[in-house]
Amino acid sequence: QVFPSQDPLDRADFNAVEYINALFPTEQSLANIDEVVNKIRLKIRRLDDNIRTVVRGQTNVGQDGRQALEEAQKAIQQLFGKIKDIKDKAEKSEQMVKEITRDIKQLDHAKRHLTTSITTLNHLHMLAGGVDSLEAMTRRRQYGEVANLLQGVVNVLEHFNKYMGIPQIRQLSERVKAAQNELGQQILADFEEAFPSQGTKRTGGPSNVLRDACLVANVLDPRIKQEIIKKFIKQHLSEYLVLFQENQDVAWLDKIDRRYAWIKRQLVDYEEKYGRMFPQEWCMTERIAVEFCHVTRAELSKIMRTRAKEIEVKLLLFAIQRTTNFEGFLAKRFSGCTLADGTVKKPEVPPPSTNPFLEDETGTETDEIVIEKSDTDKPKKPKVPDNPFHGIVSKCFEPHLYVYIESQDKNLGELIDRFVADFKAQGPPKPNVDEGGAVLPSCADLFVYYKKCMVQCSQLSTGEPMIALTTIFQKYLREYAWKILSGNLPKTTSSSGGLTISSLLKEKEGSEVAKFTLEELCLICSILSTAEYCLATTQQLEEKLKEKVDASLMERINLTGEMDTFSIVISNSIQLLVQDLDAACDPALTAMSKMQWQNVEHVGDQSPYVTSVILHIKQNVPIIRDNLASTRKYFTQFCIKFANSFIPKFINHLFKCKPISMVGAEQLLLDTHSLKMVLLDLPSIGSQVVRKAPASYTKIVVKGMTRAEMILKVVMAPHEPPVVFVDNYIKLLGDCSTDTFQKILDMKGLKRSEQSSMLDLFRLRLPAPPPGGDNTGSLSLSAPTPEQESSRIRKLEKLIKKRL
């Protein structure tokens, strides 16, 4: 490793030639060569002296190193000897300590064993005395003392589990088990005596004994506790089974309130008489209520199966409402801790909803009415986990919910018929009274009713009935779409009566076309807005239904078909608006194609047919825009569809203008530019607020109208020499179709012989199709880029200004 140095001679990539060139950059510098050579020789001598000094300094290093190594080895040997001495002394010290503490260790072991023996003897004494006392107290029914003593005896007996091989210990253990069994049988007998299956309940003295007996039962086998609870609840509810037998009038659904009133009285009576007898942790009040629910569910199921034909919708809903109210009462009163045995499963916590159907709104608009309606019913949702008693009784109504579903089917059918009748009676919305394009109020009424049905049904069941209700919803969404929306779209004067006016476009050109009135345009826009509202709300409805229904049935809920139906209504509405405006412009385009363009002598203002088209656009578009103010995207769709329909039709009529003189072509170019400007301004025409047109729409207009301008530019170009004309056509239009080229020649008014030679030349000049492509002759050859289009537009504008 060379020490850092700035000297170029020390560099690893030293180059002698470069170094010499650096010393003598010019011929004049060679005059100092002797001085440079002397400097280098002096440097060499200094380096030699330095090397000699270093070499001499290193002659004694080896001898000094060997001497240092020998001294280190001697120091290591001395250190090793000292460590060995310390280790020997440590071993001797350890042996001495062991001899000193040997007797102390024996004493420690003796003390530990003696302590264990004394403790065990104490436990044995306690166990023997406790067993004797337990047997004596059991005979005297001193349950209060037995409860504490028994727990202590059981705890002490656990210490003797490892001594069960000793006969005396095993005998004491068997006596404890026998005492426990005797206590269990005795307590059950006492409860049977106090609360016989038939007869009146005892009160007063025995209650204190039984209260202590319950404390003993807590320590005994859990089976004893379960038996006591079961017998007490059965005896407590025996009167209920007699009062509400199947053949009694009060047993039917119309008097279901009496069942719940009876159990409420019984619970109050229990609290007053027996509330202190049972330990609080037994939750006896809740157990009585839960057993009542199970009995009631079984009894109601049996009686409804027997009298199924008598069940009406109002009666069923009344019973369900009262039952769910009672279940809500239980949820407020009890925690549901006794339901852990699996009789009723707690519903799972649903994920936090992001559904706008449930947003907390207080507005008065129609969509907000639906949302607000949802919020008022939200606490009753079955999946809310704070009601563990939901369905404990009301589940019995689920097999009979077909009555409810059939009723909703009938009600919705009547609702749709009423909507149809109201529309016929009231007529379409008045454009001058309300804001045009407003959503039809009937759709808000429909979804409010849907919300009510959905919440109501989800309270009754989240299983198959919800699927059946969804099917009903789908049926009437489709009916609403066809009867209220599509059924009320204005019909055209076509004999077919369909939603298209293509037949109108095939009428004799130049004939008058029946336009939609202002009221009809507003109606179409209103139906479009309503269909859009229905589409969005149906999607929210689907999400809400999936939240309400059981997870296993979610896949069966699909409203895509209904959403598609509303999309079709929207599409048909837009198509009607487009075709109406398109048909209104047809006479003007027909007039354009019939003008004698070869006789035009000078270029003036825009032609009358352009003024007519602009007039129709200014009449229709502001009305449509104002009525679709709430659905801008569909107004944009209308503009795009109109441009896609009008521009090709304009170009087709342009081809019918033949022959055309140079001045006529210039006039047409001016007209085309005027139409282009109007079309670009179409979305905001007649509006005080000027908005920039959407880029997608502008692109369509620029592309289509630029093609029309290019066609006229080709027509204006001289056809001599033919090669230049053909190449100019291919370059400007990029259209390899011979039909289009033929139309251009017709517009120029060339003779057939000239056209024939031009066509032959055109076919020869066509570029070869790309390899692997199909030679259809309709490819878009070298489509102009946006920059090229804009430059051409600027040239055309300059040309028009020059002509003017």
Side-chain angles (χ1 to χ4, degrees), residues 625 632 635-636 639 679-685 687 689-699:
R625 182 183 58 243
R632 289 290 302 179
F635 176 66
T636 303
C639 295
L679 289 175
L680 286 173
D681 190 41
L682 182 75
S684 59
I685 195 166
S687 173
V689 180
V690 179
R691 289 187 182 180
K692 186 178 179 181
S696 56
Y697 170 76
T698 305
K699 184 178 179 182

Side-chain angles (χ1 to χ4, degrees), residues 119-286:
T119 305
T120 304
L121 284 172
N122 282 334
H123 285 160
L124 182 60
H125 176 71
M126 290 167 59
L127 181 62
V131 171
D132 292 337
S133 300
L134 185 63
E135 291 172 344
M137 291 175 182
T138 301
R139 286 191 294 272
R140 292 195 297 271
R141 283 183 164 76
Q142 295 175 336
Y143 294 132
E145 292 81 358
V146 167
N148 296 324
L149 180 60
L150 180 58
Q151 185 63 58
V153 168
V154 171
N155 292 339
V156 171
L157 190 60
E158 289 177 357
H159 292 286
F160 290 94
N161 284 338
K162 54 187 175 183
Y163 304 117
M164 285 300 169
I166 301 171
Q168 290 82 357
I169 302 297
R170 188 166 60 250
Q171 184 180 359
L172 284 173
S173 174
E174 288 172 356
R175 286 176 63 189
V176 171
K177 289 181 180 177
Q180 286 178 321
N181 291 334
E182 185 181 350
L183 272 171
Q185 296 302 322
Q186 190 171 302
I187 289 171
L188 288 175
D190 289 346
F191 267 95
E192 181 63 33
E193 184 181 351
F195 303 107
S197 299
Q198 295 178 348
T200 58
K201 310 182 189 73
R202 289 190 184 178
T203 58
S207 294
N208 293 326
V209 176
L210 294 178
R211 181 180 61 206
D212 295 337
C214 291
L215 297 176
V216 177
N218 268 337
V219 186
L220 295 175
D221 187 348
R223 182 176 52 83
I224 303 297
K225 172 184 168 183
Q226 295 297 332
E227 190 69 23
I228 292 171
I229 292 172
K230 182 179 177 182
K231 285 188 175 182
F232 180 81
I233 293 177
K234 183 178 179 182
Q235 195 275 339
H236 212 71
L237 294 179
S238 57
E239 180 187 346
Y240 173 69
L241 291 172
V242 174
L243 289 174
F244 293 92
Q245 282 182 0
E246 188 177 347
N247 56 1
Q248 299 293 328
D249 288 342
V250 292
W252 189 228
L253 299 181
D254 59 344
K255 297 183 176 62
I256 199 167
D257 275 342
R258 297 192 183 183
R259 293 177 182 266
Y260 304 133
W262 182 89
I263 189 61
K264 288 177 183 177
R265 289 194 304 272
Q266 290 300 311
L267 292 179
V268 172
D269 181 61
Y270 165 82
E271 291 287 352
E272 292 175 353
K273 293 181 179 179
Y274 308 105
R276 295 183 180 180
M277 189 173 79
F278 292 100
Q280 190 173 357
E281 64 268 19
W282 284 22
C283 304
M284 283 299 292
T285 314
E286 182 176 325

Side-chain angles (χ1 to χ4, degrees), residues 756-802:
S756 179
S757 60
M758 281 280 192
L759 285 169
D760 293 339
L761 182 60
F762 173 72
R763 293 188 186 96
L764 291 174
R765 302 293 291 180
L766 279 178
D774 52 300
N775 189 10
T776 59
S778 61
L779 67 116
S780 176
L781 178 85
S782 62
T785 63
E787 291 79 7
Q788 292 171 335
E789 287 182 354
S790 61
S791 65
R792 291 172 183 172
I793 293 165
R794 284 195 294 272
K795 290 177 182 177
L796 285 167
E797 288 175 348
K798 287 180 183 178
L799 177 64
I800 292 168
K801 289 177 182 177
K802 183 179 177 182

Side-chain angles (χ1 to χ4, degrees), residues 299-328:
E299 290 293 315
L300 288 175
S301 297
K302 186 165 64 175
I303 195 171
M304 284 194 290
R305 278 197 303 270
T306 307
R307 303 170 64 175
K309 293 182 179 179
E310 300 178 37
I311 299 175
E312 297 177 354
V313 177
K314 289 183 179 179
L315 180 63
L316 183 66
L317 292 180
F318 167 79
I320 293 172
Q321 184 63 42
R322 292 295 186 270
T323 303
T324 51
N325 289 346
F326 176 69
E327 291 170 350

Side-chain angles (χ1 to χ4, degrees), residues 17-29:
V17 176
E18 291 180 1
Y19 182 68
I20 292 170
N21 289 336
L23 290 175
F24 305 106
T26 62
E27 291 182 6
Q28 288 78 7
S29 61

Side-chain angles (χ1 to χ4, degrees), residues 724-795:
V724 175
F725 177 77
V726 171
D727 289 346
N728 194 38
Y729 167 83
I730 294 174
K731 179 182 176 183
L732 289 178
L733 284 182
D735 190 342
C736 297
S737 168
T738 53
D739 291 341
T740 307
F741 188 65
Q742 176 75 57
K743 291 175 181 176
I744 296 286
L745 297 179
D746 288 341
M747 292 172 73
K748 287 185 69 66
L750 295 182
K751 298 177 181 177
R752 287 296 174 186
S753 57
E754 292 176 325
Q755 288 188 16
S756 179
S757 60
M758 281 280 192
L759 285 169
D760 293 339
L761 182 60
F762 173 72
R763 293 188 186 96
L764 291 174
R765 302 293 291 180
L766 279 178
D774 52 300
N775 189 10
T776 59
S778 61
L779 67 116
S780 176
L781 178 85
S782 62
T785 63
E787 291 79 7
Q788 292 171 335
E789 287 182 354
S790 61
S791 65
R792 291 172 183 172
I793 293 165
R794 284 195 294 272
K795 290 177 182 177

